[in-house]
């Protein structure tokens, strides 16, 4: 019979090869997977490991970054700290003028000011502890609205007030409380030859780690009981969000008009911002390892498809003899490869998301798995599956039907 045939009306119609519907393609592509489940599992495992590694790395990095950004949002980025800077000569000690806090507080845009001054005394758990064993805890005099400026909170007890700030009372940073073995307010510590009663213990203060390792006493009590000279050593200020840059330019000249260079102005939130910006830099290496695992999984899929072609030559020859075209054979094996990779990709995404959730739960982090990582990872598996299935599919389509039937 020729390539053309005559119809009842005398017209000729071209013979058209059968077409595969999407349902037919899916059925034909999944037939090989259903018949060899263990091989499918092992081949998909390599893809799953690669995608799981990539999703977990990105998810853990994003979760850590999200925590830092939440802390920054809560703590704010509008706090600056003025401290003594470098003098005109190398090694020269400088101090802030006594009226520096009040002058900084008058700058337009400044909302609140808190002040600390270093006290040349040590703090110990009791008088029986050797004077040299201070545990790295500093004693600081405090005044103004330090607690509100730092946006700090007392975990237990109360902050110093106008009354307790005049008497031997002390508030401990949470690190200093741990080092001294103080667990609750009401206990006492030994400072400058006398006992001070602990009135409160602070919660962590990320923007002022020096406060966490300090024992804080009232300004008046420090001057009258501990020989404090009254010079401020750090002035913390909060300004309006839209005035931070302007206030920063004015602080040094306002705090010390005679020698502005003797005042150092820092942004304590810059460290957290930099950490948030660079979070995940180390993850690049782990992403590379995940990519290598994904490529290895792709090689495994390609190997599986080649073996499948060799084992199914009789099936290929039978389909060709029944009218299947080379294109039908190619799309069958490419679809099978795509399904195999897709199953591995879905399993890898689930494993990676679960690993991220476990890490976030253990580290008290928000669980974040970026959508771009999920879609990108799955797209990568489909690309790997397509590439891995092309050569076996082309090889299968080139098999001679008669030879395949004879050797199958």
């Amino acid at each position: 019979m020729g390539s053309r045939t005559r119809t009842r009306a005398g017209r000729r119609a071209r013979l058209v090869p059968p077409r595969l519907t999407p349902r037919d393609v899916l059925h034909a592509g999944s037939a090989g997977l259903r018949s060899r489940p263990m091989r499918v599992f092992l081949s998909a495992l390599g893809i799953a490991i690669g995608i799981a590694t990539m999703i977990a790395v990105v998810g853990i990095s994003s979760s850590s970054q999200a925590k830092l950004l939440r802390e920054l949002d809560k703590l704010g980025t509008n706090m600056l700290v003025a401290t003594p800077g470098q003098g005109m000569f190398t090694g020269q000690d400088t101090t802030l003028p006594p009226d520096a806090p009040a002058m900084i507080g008058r700058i337009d845009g400044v909302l609140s000011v808190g002040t600390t001054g270093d006290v040349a005394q040590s703090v110990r758990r009791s008088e029986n502890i050797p004077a040299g064993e201070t545990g790295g805890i500093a004693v600081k005099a405090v005044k103004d609205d330090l607690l509100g400026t730092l946006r700090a909170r007392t975990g237990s007890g109360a902050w110093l007030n106008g009354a307790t700030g005049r008497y031997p009372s002390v508030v401990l940073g949470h690190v200093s409380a741990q080092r001294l073995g103080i667990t609750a307010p009401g206990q006492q510590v030994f400072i400058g030859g006398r006992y001070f009663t602990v009135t409160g213990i602070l919660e962590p203060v990320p923007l002022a780690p020096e406060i966490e390792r300090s024992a804080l006493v009232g300004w008046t009590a420090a001057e009258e009981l501990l020989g404090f000279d009254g010079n401020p050593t750090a002035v913390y200020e909060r300004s309006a969000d839209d005035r931070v840059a302007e206030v920063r330019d004015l602080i040094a000249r306002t705090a010390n008009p005679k020698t502005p260079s003797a005042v150092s102005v820092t942004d304590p939130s810059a460290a957290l911002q930099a950490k948030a910006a660079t979070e995940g830099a180390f993850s690049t290496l782990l992403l590379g390892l995940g990519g290598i695992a994904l490529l290895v999984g792709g090689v495994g899929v390609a190997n599986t498809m080649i073996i499948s072609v060799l084992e199914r030559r009789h099936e290929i020859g039978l389909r060709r003899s029944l009218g299947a075209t080379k294109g039908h054979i190619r799309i069958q094996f490419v679809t099978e490869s795509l399904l195999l990779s897709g199953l591995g990709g879905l399993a890898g995404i689930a494993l990676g998301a679960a690993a991220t959730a476990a890490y976030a739960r253990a580290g008290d982090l928000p669980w974040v798995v970026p959508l771009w990582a999920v879609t990108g990872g799955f797209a990568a598996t489909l690309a790997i599956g397509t590439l891995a299935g092309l050569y076996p599919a082309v090889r299968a389509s080139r098999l001679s039907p008669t030879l395949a039937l004879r050797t199958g």
Side-chain angles (χ1 to χ4, degrees):
M1 187 176 184
S3 59
R4 296 175 180 271
T5 184
R6 187 173 298 277
T7 62
R8 292 182 179 179
R11 293 176 299 177
R12 293 184 177 183
R14 184 183 298 274
L15 290 176
V16 179
R19 293 182 179 179
L20 294 178
T21 65
R23 182 177 180 180
D24 295 332
V25 172
L26 184 62
H27 185 270
S30 62
L33 303 184
R34 295 194 303 269
S35 61
R36 298 169 180 83
M38 183 54 65
R39 182 185 297 175
V40 169
F41 171 78
L42 294 176
S43 299
L45 184 61
I47 295 288
I49 292 174
I51 291 297
T53 301
M54 299 176 73
I55 293 295
V57 167
V58 174
I60 290 172
S61 175
S62 298
S63 297
S64 300
Q65 187 179 50
K67 182 179 182 181
L68 288 173
L69 293 176
R70 287 187 183 182
E71 286 185 359
L72 276 172
D73 186 59
K74 181 177 68 174
L75 298 172
T77 58
N78 60 342
M79 188 176 81
L80 299 173
V81 184
T83 55
Q86 296 294 327
M88 296 180 62
F89 303 100
T90 304
Q92 179 184 7
D93 293 332
T94 61
T95 59
L96 294 175
D99 60 348
M103 297 296 291
I104 292 175
R106 295 191 185 101
I107 298 176
D108 187 24
V110 172
L111 304 177
S112 64
V113 173
T115 309
T116 65
D118 291 341
V119 180
Q121 297 288 348
S122 63
V123 54
R124 291 171 284 165
R125 186 64 178 86
S126 75
E127 58 186 315
N128 299 319
I129 303 297
E133 296 183 10
T134 63
I137 303 172
V139 179
K140 294 181 181 293
V142 300
K143 70 174 182 178
D144 304 321
D145 186 20
L146 180 66
L147 192 70
T149 302
L150 294 178
R151 294 186 183 174
R153 295 185 298 178
T154 52
S156 58
W159 179 247
L160 298 168
N161 55 39
T164 57
R166 295 177 175 272
Y167 298 99
S169 304
V170 61
V171 172
L172 299 176
H174 85 287
V175 174
S176 58
Q178 292 173 358
R179 292 178 180 177
L180 289 169
I182 301 296
T183 57
Q187 297 177 276
Q188 293 185 319
V189 293
F190 194 71
I191 305 175
R194 67 171 63 222
Y195 281 96
F196 279 63
T197 301
V198 177
T199 63
I201 299 174
L202 295 178
E203 292 184 353
V205 189
L207 291 185
E210 66 278 3
I211 299 297
E212 299 178 346
R213 298 185 293 272
S214 299
L216 309 174
V217 299
W219 200 271
T220 302
E223 290 178 323
E224 296 179 353
L225 303 177
L226 301 176
F228 176 51
D229 60 9
N231 286 322
T233 51
V235 179
Y236 304 82
E237 70 81 29
R238 288 276 182 182
S239 53
D241 291 333
D242 59 345
R243 304 294 296 275
V244 174
E246 181 179 343
V247 170
R248 182 176 188 136
D249 293 337
L250 294 173
I251 284 181
R253 288 176 287 171
T254 303
N256 193 341
K258 293 183 179 179
T259 316
S261 60
V263 179
S264 174
V265 182
T266 57
D267 179 1
S269 67
L272 285 178
Q273 294 181 57
K275 187 176 180 181
T278 58
E279 184 68 39
F282 178 72
S283 301
T284 304
L285 174 62
L286 297 179
L287 278 175
L289 294 177
I292 292 174
L294 185 60
L295 290 176
V296 171
V299 172
V301 171
N303 184 58
T304 297
M305 296 306 302
I306 290 175
I307 294 174
S308 179
V309 169
L310 294 176
E311 292 179 344
R312 296 161 65 188
R313 285 178 297 179
H314 184 77
E315 174 193 335
I316 296 170
L318 182 60
R319 290 199 63 208
R320 289 296 309 280
S321 64
L322 292 177
T325 64
K326 291 183 178 181
H328 294 162
I329 301 299
R330 284 195 295 268
I331 196 171
Q332 173 188 347
F333 282 93
V334 169
T335 301
E336 185 173 329
S337 178
L338 279 172
L339 290 174
L340 182 57
S341 299
L343 289 174
L346 292 175
I349 290 171
L351 289 173
T356 302
Y359 181 87
R361 185 183 183 88
D364 194 24
L365 302 174
W367 178 51
V368 179
V369 178
L371 180 61
W372 65 264
V374 175
T375 56
F378 191 68
T381 62
L382 296 183
I384 291 290
T386 302
L387 295 175
L390 280 178
Y391 172 71
V394 171
R395 181 172 178 175
S397 66
R398 291 178 177 176
L399 285 176
S400 169
T402 56
L403 182 62
L405 287 172
R406 187 169 63 246
T407 59

